Amino acid sequence: MIKLLHTADWQIGKLFGQFEADDASALAEARIATVEDLARLATEEQVDLVLVAGDVFDAQGVADKTVRRLFNALAGYRGPWVMIPGNHDAGLAESVWTRAARLQAIPANVTVCLSPAPVQLANPPLAILPAPLTQRITYTDLTEGFAALETPAGLPRIGLAHGSVQGLLADGIDSTNPVAAGRAAQARLDYLALGDWHGTRQVDERCWYAGTPETDNFKGNDSGNALLVELDGPGALPRVTPVATGRYRWHDRTSELLVGSDTDRLVEELAGFGPRDVIQLSVTGHTDLAGHRRIQHAIGATGGRVRSLAADLSALRLAPTDEDIAALQADGYLGAVIDELRQGQEGNDAAAGVARDALALLAGLLDELRGSEAR
Ligand SMILES: [Mn+2]
């Protein structure tokens, strides 16, 4: 039996520029740590080899230090690693791979396939058919030639490619770097290991996307895994088992507040997040002053506990109740201003937005003032 670990889309060196600096560096660091975990997993599971289906690096221009650190992260598994470039780290004439070679950073047990020549391993005996991208975008199917490639009889044939299976993924993203559906069967492959799609996904009984082992966006497409693949021998169907590998869990949440209990639910949900969570939160609807206070407190408290919380309250309308306004004791001129702002915040134009912000600010200030007077 052959047992291998299939992974892809490590995107080492990704910058996460939309995050605060400390979160961005933690997220980038996690990607290397997860590769160390993959090496450990490969050793623990006693796999015969590790296949990396492209986009090892996020960009050609990653720092030399990052290149060295990535290859050092493989040290925990002494068996063979076989990798191909993807679209982010395409095997150009001058690429991150040629630089890695010049730096002498690539360990002897790592094979980087920069040409489509089959790689034959003696132990375990098998043939790997790679389809490395040599440019970022192609419109021809690089796995087309697999069927015509002869490999020694009796050796399992394993394909390794990076691209979009035609007709499988959402519209618009399957036009470049195409891989024909049904390629594994058509090219007599025992298994076809794919990269590019960042979620873990079965294509057919002999073909899978591993997905990225460390989530890198809010798509919620079942990323953060690697695949253990067992092959009893040539012709046998592979047994594929996803293994969770990711450190961080990414959440994209929208919370619409319409009644008081919606606020309770949001506060409760935020309380459930911890250090491994990366959250993008958008709050819409409306709330009174007390609700607004609770939400802001919960967001502040959660932000101090999780890896990252980006909260967007710009679509949340502050609707002070009559009691809120009365309690603010804003009479005279101030009362008139508040009335005007309450009416002004209806609508979707820029002026309504300004009125909402002003009302929230003013009500919040008065609220604070009252709080400090009470102390
Ligand atoms: Mn990728």
Side-chain angles (χ1 to χ4, degrees), residues 9 11 55 88 162 196 198:
D9 296 283
Q11 313 293 148
D55 279 4
H88 282 259
H162 188 93
D196 195 26
H198 283 205

Side-chain angles (χ1 to χ4, degrees), residues 147-160:
L149 283 176
E150 291 304 328
T151 52
L155 285 197
R157 284 162 65 89
I158 295 174
L160 185 58

Side-chain angles (χ1 to χ4, degrees), residues 255-257 260-270 294:
S255 188
E256 187 179 23
L257 308 183
S261 59
D262 293 337
T263 303
D264 299 338
R265 235 192 23 243
L266 173 57
V267 168
E268 203 174 297
E269 189 185 8
L270 287 172
R294 285 183 63 206

Side-chain angles (χ1 to χ4, degrees), residues 92-153:
L92 312 171
E94 171 61 33
S95 71
V96 63
W97 302 104
T98 56
R99 183 153 52 98
R102 264 203 312 280
L103 293 170
Q104 301 182 337
I106 306 175
N109 60 328
V110 177
T111 303
V112 179
C113 305
L114 295 179
S115 88
V119 173
Q120 209 171 306
L121 295 189
N123 186 26
L126 56 81
I128 295 161
L129 285 59
L133 279 164
T134 53
Q135 47 193 319
R136 195 179 169 97
I137 291 174
T138 66
Y139 295 95
T140 51
D141 183 345
L142 300 180
T143 65
E144 181 103 56
F146 281 177
L149 283 176
E150 291 304 328
T151 52

Side-chain angles (χ1 to χ4, degrees), residues 2-38:
I2 289 166
K3 190 173 183 184
L4 63 89
L5 183 65
H6 167 197
T7 174
D9 296 283
W10 293 352
Q11 313 293 148
I12 298 300
K14 186 163 179 166
L15 291 174
F16 299 102
Q18 76 272 35
F19 289 88
E20 289 172 25
D22 57 337
D23 295 331
S25 78
L27 293 172
E29 199 63 30
R31 310 198 74 73
I32 299 239
T34 293
V35 171
E36 290 171 348
D37 288 350
L38 289 173

Side-chain angles (χ1 to χ4, degrees), residues 199-261:
T200 301
R201 185 156 179 171
Q202 179 174 19
V203 177
D204 60 38
E205 56 190 10
R206 295 185 183 279
C207 178
W208 285 69
Y209 283 103
T212 181
E214 182 65 48
T215 302
D216 66 342
N217 63 45
F218 288 106
K219 280 186 189 148
N221 56 5
D222 191 22
S223 55
N225 305 297
L227 299 174
L228 279 171
V229 181
E230 293 169 307
L231 272 173
D232 286 331
L237 280 181
R239 282 184 304 278
V240 180
T241 313
V243 180
T245 51
R247 284 174 154 55
Y248 291 114
R249 301 170 297 212
W250 293 50
H251 313 270
D252 184 13
R253 295 292 156 84
T254 296
S255 188
E256 187 179 23
L257 308 183
L258 298 175
V259 293
S261 59

